[in-house]
Amino acid sequence: MLKEEQVILNGLVTQKDPKQALVIAVTTRSIFDLEEEHQIFLTKGKEEYLRHQKANENLPLQPGTAFAFVKAVQTVNEKLLEKNPKEETLFDVIILSNHTPESGVRIVNSVKHYGLEISRFCFVGEEDSTLYLKSQNVKLFLSLDRLDVCNALKRGVSAAMLFRQEIQPPSTQLRVAFDGDSVLFSDETDRVFREKGLDEAVKYEKSMEEVPMGQGPILEFAMLLGKIRRNFSQEEGPLRTYLVTARSGRDMGIRTIRTLRQWGLAIDEAFFMVGAPKGPILTQIRPHIFFDDGEHNIDGARDVGIPSAWVPTECCSADGKLKVMGQE
């Protein structure tokens, strides 16, 4: 009998060590399309929602926004184990749900139906599911709920809010695109820009070219992604990363590149857009997920069918500390 953290990939039994794995937590509404069920819950209540789920527990749910991302993550694991059957640095996806275990049968059946490599499920009822992220060593949390995301960020976990997206990336190669400031990097330059304008922000960057930028809320996930990326050559890799930033390459690119170099974070491709729309570039990249803190950039990405993950900077107060609804 397999231990709790063991899974089978292509006939291989592998032990996932949570201390070594890149643990990604997704909510049920992120990975599956549960909008009809969510509306039942909101309009008719918990009991009617439970009845609906039990009546349809053998009917697989349709894929949601994060579904293709999770499938591509699974492909990377398969390639890692082909290279080294004893590889421990693997992706480990867990599902979080704010509903009861009794309503979770349909979720588990849907995971099995699609052959998803997910063995850990957390059905926590009405409890705040983000309470369990640190104990599960989660390095990225994806949710359609803004409060959940803010709570996760407050607890020091890389997190982003997904938006419903029906168009799915066609590639099996995992492609992840990041914005720079307030995502990989801190918002220090953004603050200068907001308070003093573009010219002062450029001056600030030039004066700080030798100083690495501060760390952003998604950096830990990106660093672990880079660690996995180093297992493959650029030509054979099942994983590719992109930086798509509104920064100017001429005026603000040097510090960006030096910061990434200082961190040891290799990015496959970088695009310095100088404020131009990101949608056309993202259309060519076709990432499985695109992280950005700007709502207009998220809207532009969604308009061209890119699964988008918003990092909400307004979770932060004026002093830069994370705040959550209901807290001062």
Side-chain angles (χ1 to χ4, degrees):
M1 188 168 181
L2 297 181
K3 294 181 180 179
E4 187 177 15
E5 292 300 323
Q6 288 184 332
V7 295
I8 298 179
L9 282 177
N10 290 340
L12 296 172
V13 178
T14 179
Q15 178 80 20
K16 287 188 177 178
D17 182 351
K19 294 181 180 179
Q20 298 291 330
L22 199 173
V23 183
I24 299 171
V26 296
T27 61
T28 51
R29 289 177 60 213
S30 296
I31 194 169
F32 296 119
D33 184 351
L34 278 157
E35 292 314 298
E36 177 186 351
E37 289 75 10
H38 186 57
Q39 288 304 311
I40 291 173
F41 180 81
L42 292 177
T43 59
K44 298 183 179 180
K46 181 167 59 177
E47 294 303 319
E48 186 60 34
Y49 167 84
L50 180 58
R51 279 193 289 270
H52 175 85
Q53 288 294 73
K54 290 172 69 174
N56 292 278
E57 62 186 25
N58 293 316
L59 180 65
L61 292 159
Q62 291 300 304
T65 305
F67 184 89
F69 171 66
V70 171
K71 287 286 286 185
V73 158
Q74 187 167 319
T75 298
V76 176
N77 276 355
E78 292 169 357
K79 297 297 183 182
L80 285 166
L81 290 171
E82 285 176 9
K83 288 178 68 70
N84 178 13
K86 296 183 179 181
E87 179 64 57
E88 292 183 330
T89 306
L90 301 166
F91 290 98
D92 188 9
V93 180
I94 68 177
I95 286 181
L96 294 183
S97 173
N98 287 109
H99 295 294
T100 62
E102 193 173 3
S103 67
V105 174
R106 192 180 185 191
I107 305 300
V108 177
N109 282 342
S110 296
V111 166
K112 293 166 66 176
H113 171 79
Y114 292 109
L116 297 178
E117 179 208 329
I118 299 172
S119 56
R120 279 196 281 169
F121 300 80
C122 301
F123 298 107
V124 299
E126 296 179 1
E127 185 70 79
D128 174 10
S129 61
T130 66
L131 289 170
Y132 301 93
L133 296 177
K134 279 289 190 178
S135 66
Q136 298 296 311
N137 202 35
V138 170
K139 301 304 180 185
L140 176 67
F141 173 61
L142 298 174
S143 173
L144 271 68
D145 186 275
R146 175 178 161 182
L147 180 57
D148 278 351
V149 170
C150 284
N151 279 332
L153 289 169
K154 170 182 173 287
R155 293 187 169 95
V157 177
S158 294
M161 177 179 168
L162 288 174
F163 293 85
R164 291 187 64 208
Q165 188 72 49
E166 295 181 1
I167 301 174
Q168 297 289 338
S171 174
T172 56
Q173 181 188 56
L174 176 60
R175 298 179 182 179
V176 182
F178 301 96
D179 179 33
D181 294 285
S182 304
V183 176
L184 289 185
F185 314 125
S186 71
D187 67 346
E188 59 179 278
T189 304
D190 269 349
R191 292 201 306 270
V192 175
F193 171 73
R194 291 193 301 267
E195 294 170 8
K196 300 181 180 180
L198 179 59
D199 289 344
E200 289 300 316
V202 170
K203 289 179 183 178
Y204 175 78
E205 280 292 296
K206 288 182 176 179
S207 70
M208 298 288 285
E209 278 185 356
E210 302 294 331
V211 181
M213 284 181 275
Q215 299 182 2
I218 305 297
L219 179 63
E220 185 177 17
F221 166 68
M223 293 292 289
L224 290 168
L225 203 64
K227 182 180 179 181
I228 290 175
R229 176 72 181 82
R230 289 196 292 272
N231 284 280
F232 304 96
S233 69
Q234 192 165 13
E235 294 75 23
E236 69 173 348
L239 164 62
R240 199 164 182 83
T241 55
Y242 305 82
L243 175 67
V244 185
T245 174
R247 285 172 165 252
S248 162
R250 184 190 67 184
D251 298 320
M252 298 182 172
I254 292 177
R255 192 181 184 207
T256 299
I257 294 169
R258 285 178 175 169
T259 296
L260 294 173
R261 184 189 300 162
Q262 176 74 21
W263 290 343
L265 177 57
I267 296 289
D268 290 297
E269 299 181 30
F271 300 88
F272 296 88
M273 302 303 295
V274 203
K278 298 181 180 181
I281 288 293
L282 293 171
T283 301
Q284 295 299 312
I285 296 172
R286 302 301 300 173
H288 289 87
I289 192 166
F290 166 57
F291 295 92
D292 202 298
D293 68 301
E295 293 180 70
H296 63 288
N297 290 325
I298 293 293
D299 290 340
R302 295 177 67 205
D303 286 344
V304 294
I306 303 300
S308 302
W310 179 47
V311 184
T313 54
E314 49 270 4
C315 291
C316 297
S317 59
D319 60 4
K321 295 181 179 179
L322 286 165
K323 63 179 182 179
V324 182
M325 191 180 303
Q327 295 186 352
E328 296 299 331

